[in-house]
Amino acid sequence: MSRLLPRANLEGVVAALRSAGYRVVGPVRRGSLVTYDEISSAADLALDVIITRDSIKKFVLPRTEVVARFNRDAAGKVSVLDATAAPQPTVILGCRPCDAAALPIDDLVFAWDSTDRFWFSRREAVRLVTIACANCDESCFCTSVGGAPDSPEGSDVLLTETAAGDYEVQALGERGAELLAKFPGLRDAPAADRRVAAVPQRFDLSAAVTALEKNFESPFWRQTALRCVGCGCCTFVCPTCHCFDLVDEGPAYHSERRRNWDACQMKNFTLHASGHNPRPWQEHRYRQRIMHKFLYYPSRLGRTLCTGCGRCVRACPVNLSLLQVVSDLAAGRANALPTSAGEVKK
Amino acid sequence: MPAEGRQLEKLRHLARHALESGAVSLVIGFAEGTVPGRAAPLFCTAPADADRLIFDGYCTLNLANYLTRPEVRAHQTVALVARHAVAKAVVGLVQESQVDPTRVRLIAIHCPDLDGLQQDVAWTVADGLQTLDEFLPTAAHLHDQELTPERFAAVAQVESKSSHDRWDHFAREFDKCIKCYACRNVCPLCYCERCIADKNQPQWIDTSSTQRGNFAWNIVRAFHLAGRCIDCGACERACPMDLPLMELNRKMKKVVAERFGYVAGYDPKADLPLVTFKKDDPEEFIK
Ligand code: SF4
Ligand code: SF4
Ligand code: SF4
Ligand code: SF4
């Protein structure tokens, strides 16, 4: 036996969660774009898309967030005001497993040497109701990085579509059980066929990691990254990329310290005040993204910093596919290159 | 062999020959992408690399963007596989003294219309490697297509709104912007070593992706490209959040055409309308 949510009851779930005080968000279509946004009815949900353009990251790490406020009064006295807002309790309905899995991975860095209260206060306020993927495309690769299209990791409630189009329901942990108790119209039903995408394994992760260990200095990076334009597309759509910048902005006497998304692919990212840049070429910046995700983060914090959602692959304006690059590494293509390729001097 | 196959053979032959003969040391074109409907820029330095070149209506990136990259500048002479929009960007770069025309060659692709972006576009490749001067007369006729009303349909729609609705429209669209700067980084004419958006001493525009910061960014970008944008659409196609950036760029194009009688991308010797000072300028404020 399993617990079943008839599809027609999705509407009741949205209403119940909203009246319980939650902001409910899910995949919403606006023209050609599907992003996670607030919904007021299940009819707003675009559940037919493989994956939204942006990730759920923005609900825990907004693209811009005030972390402190400064005031300077007429007498010239400066006071620093606390800016922590109480985050709005939010349910993400129709989250994808590769989005949900990103949050526990990023928790590790936000709790590493100090606890990031901005991240964790939002994290506390968010509940994930994930729908297992019934379809995938050629850019999906969760199964190559330890995930699965029906993985419960990071979710509070997992819904898996049945052949009849209803949802089999699974609560995870106490938070999940508490949330599921608010779902109306659940019933017991015999286990039915589940619709779960068959995501092929596209590369051997450990072979890719070994290749990275050996190829910090390799012409592979120049050959690969010559076309990279150094934008923030791949990192900003990524659910696991978490780098930020701190800036002071606003009127001089009442300004704000804001934390904004930043991208290791942009050339200013490591630019020192002296003018020196330790990652002077795009190949260094591109290498950093791959190394950080597949070698540095796992060796320091024990988890691969990629859930295989494929967003960066789809979004890259120059079709520089991380999936292709990591597959090439795993297949030993970097090892085969001579290391003597000439440096280009500016 | 079907016509298209013959053109592809010719394209590859031109590229291979350009590298073999030493006429250029780098050919930038397109290879098959990793997924259907996408093409990937390809940098050919060995003659054999030319065998991977392709061309179709998905080759939409503006390759002239790479000419200002230091890795590419390190080459003495570079050839670009250039549909019309790429060549127009080269014109702009030469006009603004960013690229030395003697160091660029074109493998010109001719399409029946200005953009050549339909999926099954019929294209032909020019007979030989060309300099910009050799190329220009072969594309001059496309100037007539630059200002057709169809090109400005989206602009007209925005213009027809009340100023209040226009504000709402752009507020909604700019709200989607995540400040990834892909629009800037794929734009061949956005070559500034340090973009105004990245300057913080002094800081001109908010870097934060707030309403104010997003308005500032998108408007500053459109203004800075007024009279310089060659209407290739690469920025809009790169935008991960589907902002209708060409509404802004084409509006600027229209105003510049009306006020200055100028369309960018055809004459590398022309004065740029917005950066040229004329003593007989009718505007009082300029004196
Ligand atoms: S690196 Fe790419 S595939 Fe991996 S989680 Fe980030 S966006 Fe998804
Ligand atoms: S890999 Fe693609 S999306 Fe990422 S910085 Fe480079 S060009 Fe931009
Ligand atoms: S590409 Fe789009 S989302 Fe990115 S900065 Fe430009 S307008 Fe904003
Ligand atoms: S602004 Fe956009 S359309 Fe204009 S030249 Fe740049 S990329 Fe092309």
Side-chain angles (χ1 to χ4, degrees), chain A residues 32 53 63 227-228 249 316, chain B residues 38 66 175 207-208 242:
Chain A
S32 54
R53 197 76 62 85
R63 63 195 191 198
R227 71 174 113 133
C228 173
E249 283 179 349
C316 175
Chain B
R38 297 295 301 273
Y66 290 114
D175 179 58
T207 55
S208 308
D242 295 0

Side-chain angles (χ1 to χ4, degrees), chain B residues 187-189 221 225 229-235 246 249:
Chain B
C187 175
L189 277 316
R221 202 186 97 78
L225 284 147
C229 164
I230 48 81
D231 192 1
C232 68
C235 49
M246 293 313 286
N249 294 333

Side-chain angles (χ1 to χ4, degrees), chain A residues 63 231-233 236 266, chain B residues 173-174 176-186 209 214 217-218 221 234-245:
Chain A
R63 63 195 191 198
C231 61
C233 257
F236 288 0
M266 294 179 179
Chain B
E173 293 298 338
F174 292 160
K176 302 189 308 198
C177 174
I178 53 176
K179 288 212 169 189
C180 69
Y181 300 131
C183 48
R184 170 187 80 189
N185 291 20
V186 300
S209 184
N214 284 2
W217 162 240
N218 285 284
R221 202 186 97 78
C235 49
E236 186 173 275
R237 285 189 297 273
C239 176
M241 303 310 283
D242 295 0
L243 269 75
L245 299 175

Side-chain angles (χ1 to χ4, degrees), chain A residues 315-319, chain B residues 29-31 33 37-42 54-66 81-87 89 109 111 114-121 186-188 230-239 246:
Chain A
C316 175
V318 300
N319 188 232
Chain B
F30 287 97
R38 297 295 301 273
L42 178 70
I54 61 147
F55 191 82
D56 59 29
Y58 294 122
C59 296
T60 61
L61 198 74
N62 198 322
L63 296 177
N65 188 35
Y66 290 114
V81 174
R83 64 185 174 85
H84 187 53
V86 176
I109 305 272
C111 301
L114 195 54
D115 297 308
L117 295 180
Q118 314 89 317
Q119 186 181 332
D120 50 358
V121 63
V186 300
C187 175
I230 48 81
D231 192 1
C232 68
C235 49
E236 186 173 275
R237 285 189 297 273
C239 176
M246 293 313 286

Side-chain angles (χ1 to χ4, degrees), chain A residues 74-262:
Chain A
K77 190 176 161 310
V78 177
S79 44
V80 179
L81 314 173
D82 194 1
T84 328
Q88 206 179 352
T90 299
V91 172
I92 304 176
L93 179 59
C95 179
R96 286 295 182 210
C98 50
D99 262 332
L103 299 186
I105 296 174
D106 276 9
D107 284 346
L108 300 170
V109 70
F110 284 108
W112 191 10
D113 48 2
S114 65
T115 302
D116 188 304
R117 64 191 164 95
F118 295 93
W119 169 274
F120 283 103
S121 69
R122 288 181 198 275
R123 188 80 168 83
E124 253 327 290
V126 169
R127 299 285 178 276
L128 304 184
V129 179
T130 300
I131 302 183
C133 298
N135 298 296
C136 63
D137 70 11
E138 53 290 80
S139 302
C140 293
F141 63 98
C142 54
T143 50
S144 308
V145 286
D150 58 349
S151 162
E153 204 200 333
S155 299
D156 297 301
V157 172
L158 180 67
L159 309 180
T160 312
E161 212 179 315
T162 65
D166 299 322
Y167 294 106
E168 200 182 287
V169 177
Q170 189 188 349
L172 301 141
E174 254 173 59
R175 280 171 36 145
E178 244 171 64
L179 191 67
L180 196 60
K182 299 188 172 64
F183 281 35
L186 298 182
R187 57 183 166 80
D188 288 325
D193 280 347
R194 308 154 94 228
R195 293 189 56 216
V196 177
V199 183
Q201 196 189 323
R202 304 194 199 265
F203 57 82
D204 175 359
L205 182 59
S206 63
V209 172
T210 309
L212 287 174
E213 282 167 344
K214 283 200 227 140
N215 286 293
F216 185 80
E217 300 285 356
S218 164
F220 177 77
W221 300 112
R222 163 144 302 174
Q223 287 182 9
T224 304
L226 199 49
R227 71 174 113 133
C228 173
V229 297
C231 61
C233 257
C234 50
T235 53
F236 288 0
V237 298
C238 175
T240 56
C241 278
H242 51 258
C243 287
F244 56 80
D245 188 19
L246 288 170
V247 297
D248 291 345
E249 283 179 349
Y253 296 124
H254 319 277
S255 78
E256 292 179 338
R257 176 153 299 173
R258 297 178 187 153
R259 141 151 119 178
N260 295 337
W261 288 352
D262 202 355

